[in-house]
Amino acid sequence: MVLTLYKLDASPPVRAVYMTIEALNLSDVQYIDTNLFKGEHLTEEFIQMNPQHTIPTLKEDDFVIWDSHAICGYLIAKYGKDDSLYPTEPKQRAIIDQRLHFDSGVLFPAIRGTLEPILFHGQKYIKDEDIVKINSAYTLIEKFFTAPWLAGDELTLADICCVSSISTLNEIVPINGSLYPNLLAWLERCSNEDICKKGNEPGLLQIRQMLKSKLE
Ligand SMILES: N[C@@H](CCC(=O)N[C@@H](CS)C(=O)NCC(=O)O)C(=O)O
């Protein structure tokens, strides 16, 4: 059984999969760089594998799955020693799923909408409307916290998927700790975790450098 991950280190959803791989201690993964800037995700071969042409995409023998949330859930179900990262207890699972859908529906679109014109189309500034969207995402997630972690007392897949997005948004619009104290404290808590240092930080630094070079 061979696990292959199509990836680009700077991509936030790829970083969520990296963190899950770290948390599960999976060592036998083959990584294939898929350079979006060179259109490597738009080849006939890639589209045949993933018609949505997104990274991360995971291949395990003949089985192909894409979308970071689906990939991470699969890896935990298949390779996790237990279900602690993604509990099967219905209420705990529902709370985590809500956070994952918030990531897909609110956080990632805010990243993509802001960064795509800058990274791919030569825009040299951050639009005011994107800053408004990012701050409104911060305002929403700030109120989700009732415990140290995003879905309760333990670190779960909700933290893994949302921190890759929130740490990226923080590079675009730094989180104001007096407006969003829970969010900033949580980001710091996540950043101190080994899985985040190994799985998230290197790609995040690449995003920081890209933004520095593209913005005036
Ligand atoms: N919801 C997806 C988002 C994946 C996504 O849009 N990835 C971007 C890179 S960060 C991509 O592959 N863009 C190329 C494209 O959409 O054609 C996930 O969580 O995996």
Side-chain angles (χ1 to χ4, degrees):
M1 201 156 351
V2 182
L3 280 174
T4 304
L5 185 71
Y6 293 80
K7 57 88 172 178
L8 184 71
D9 298 345
S11 153
V14 166
R15 286 185 262 125
V17 178
Y18 286 169
M19 285 186 271
T20 303
I21 287 171
E22 284 294 333
L24 295 172
N25 236 333
L26 297 179
S27 52
D28 222 7
V29 182
Q30 181 192 343
Y31 295 95
I32 298 192
D33 262 314
T34 309
N35 191 330
L36 305 182
F37 299 98
K38 293 187 182 157
E40 287 174 0
H41 59 312
L42 299 175
T43 61
E44 208 174 301
E45 194 189 351
F46 195 93
I47 289 175
Q48 200 157 17
M49 175 177 68
N50 168 0
Q52 201 182 334
H53 47 78
T54 52
I55 50 158
T57 295
L58 181 79
K59 195 166 182 300
E60 186 182 51
D61 302 326
D62 290 342
F63 174 67
V64 178
I65 185 79
W66 59 92
D67 189 282
S68 56
H69 312 86
I71 293 171
C72 295
Y74 172 72
L75 291 175
I76 294 166
K78 177 123 192 225
Y79 298 102
K81 285 192 307 292
D82 54 42
D83 72 352
S84 57
L85 277 179
Y86 196 26
T88 45
E89 192 283 314
K91 286 180 182 154
Q92 274 181 299
R93 169 70 57 120
I95 289 173
I96 294 168
D97 284 343
Q98 181 275 317
R99 275 46 165 172
L100 299 185
H101 289 294
F102 183 77
D103 186 40
S104 292
V106 177
L107 300 178
F108 186 71
I111 296 173
R112 191 166 174 154
T114 306
L115 291 188
E116 211 165 69
I118 296 169
L119 299 183
F120 291 90
H121 306 300
Q123 184 184 297
K124 293 188 182 333
Y125 63 97
I126 299 168
K127 285 191 204 141
D128 285 346
E129 68 207 57
D130 290 329
I131 296 175
V132 169
K133 258 188 216 144
I134 293 168
N135 275 314
S136 80
Y138 291 165
T139 304
L140 292 170
I141 197 170
E142 171 68 15
K143 299 193 189 99
F144 292 1
F145 290 95
T146 55
W149 300 103
L150 195 48
D153 289 328
E154 306 296 336
L155 182 148
T156 66
L157 186 55
D159 301 287
I160 289 176
C161 288
C162 290
V163 81
S164 67
S165 296
I166 288 288
S167 60
T168 306
L169 290 171
N170 184 50
E171 295 295 325
I172 307 167
V173 179
I175 296 168
N176 179 337
S178 52
L179 293 175
Y180 312 113
N182 293 325
L183 183 60
L184 190 59
W186 166 81
L187 176 59
E188 282 168 9
R189 193 169 302 122
C190 291
S191 306
N192 285 327
E193 290 290 312
D194 252 18
I195 57 165
C196 212
K197 287 187 185 146
K198 291 187 187 146
N200 194 49
E201 234 175 73
L204 188 64
L205 288 180
Q206 290 185 15
I207 285 278
R208 188 175 302 163
Q209 279 151 7
M210 280 181 206
L211 275 176
K212 210 168 149 192
S213 73
K214 301 271 182 187
L215 295 175
E216 267 170 349

